[in-house]
Amino acid sequence: MSPSTTSPYAVRSSRAQALRPRLGPPLRRGVAGVAVLVAVIALGACGSEDPVLTDLPSDVASARPTISAEEARFVLAAEELGAAVTGATVDSDIETGTTTCWVLRNGGVSLDQVAVDENDALLPNTGEALRTKQLMAAGVQAFCPDHDDQIALLKLP
């Protein structure tokens, strides 16, 4: 009886058996290594939501070369809301965001009680008042997202 591929008792050639030990394990290790590398890259891409210095405006990156990921998220959130953060304003802008969150956490007030003028009226949506509200909203998004339900209280345009 000659060997066939349908017979459960097929015999492999001695040449195939001789090549298998030499090529099999290195090939399997190579494939496994590639699979692990692809998995690591995929996981890294999924879990890497932190912005990097090159994501920021160049003047902000120059002014704060050691900016934290949280602060970088603040800068990007502020810009998305319409408040331009520059190298000259980044420190005070971040302070506005962090102070907003500190007050929300420790002051027993809501965001619409913080964003008021001298007459206790909600800041208007014009000029520096609007920019302040945008920075406050960005601060909440970046530094205390547990309060992000209050951003609507700012009534941003």
Side-chain angles (χ1 to χ4, degrees), residues 57-68:
S58 61
D59 61 334
V60 171
S62 296
R64 297 283 297 253
T66 59
I67 194 167
S68 71

Side-chain angles (χ1 to χ4, degrees), residues 99-151:
T99 301
T100 300
C101 286
W102 185 91
V103 170
L104 291 176
R105 288 183 180 136
N106 302 301
V109 295
S110 60
L111 197 52
D112 61 334
Q113 293 171 312
V114 177
V116 296
D117 63 14
E118 60 275 352
N119 298 321
D120 285 333
L122 187 63
L123 293 173
N125 286 331
T126 58
E128 279 303 305
L130 173 59
R131 185 172 188 281
T132 299
K133 288 170 48 174
Q134 292 165 328
L135 294 174
M136 294 171 107
V140 170
Q141 289 176 357
F143 303 123
C144 56
D146 51 316
H147 292 281
D148 67 349
D149 59 325
Q150 293 191 35
I151 292 174

Side-chain angles (χ1 to χ4, degrees), residues 3-131:
S4 76
T5 57
T6 58
S7 169
Y9 302 105
V11 178
R12 294 181 188 232
S13 74
S14 60
R15 183 165 191 252
Q17 287 176 345
L19 290 176
R20 182 179 167 137
R22 248 187 358 199
L23 296 178
L27 181 60
R28 277 183 260 163
R29 279 194 301 270
V31 169
V34 169
V36 168
L37 181 61
V38 168
V40 167
I41 291 170
L43 287 175
C46 291
S48 178
E49 295 180 19
D50 289 340
V52 294
L53 206 55
T54 56
D55 294 331
L56 301 175
S58 61
D59 61 334
V60 171
S62 296
R64 297 283 297 253
T66 59
I67 194 167
S68 71
E70 191 175 50
E71 292 169 340
R73 277 193 300 274
F74 166 80
V75 171
L76 296 174
E79 291 197 340
E80 190 174 301
L81 290 166
V85 177
T86 66
T89 66
V90 67
D91 290 332
S92 63
D93 292 346
I94 289 172
E95 187 174 334
T96 298
T98 57
T99 301
T100 300
C101 286
W102 185 91
V103 170
L104 291 176
R105 288 183 180 136
N106 302 301
V109 295
S110 60
L111 197 52
D112 61 334
Q113 293 171 312
V114 177
V116 296
D117 63 14
E118 60 275 352
N119 298 321
D120 285 333
L122 187 63
L123 293 173
N125 286 331
T126 58
E128 279 303 305
L130 173 59
R131 185 172 188 281

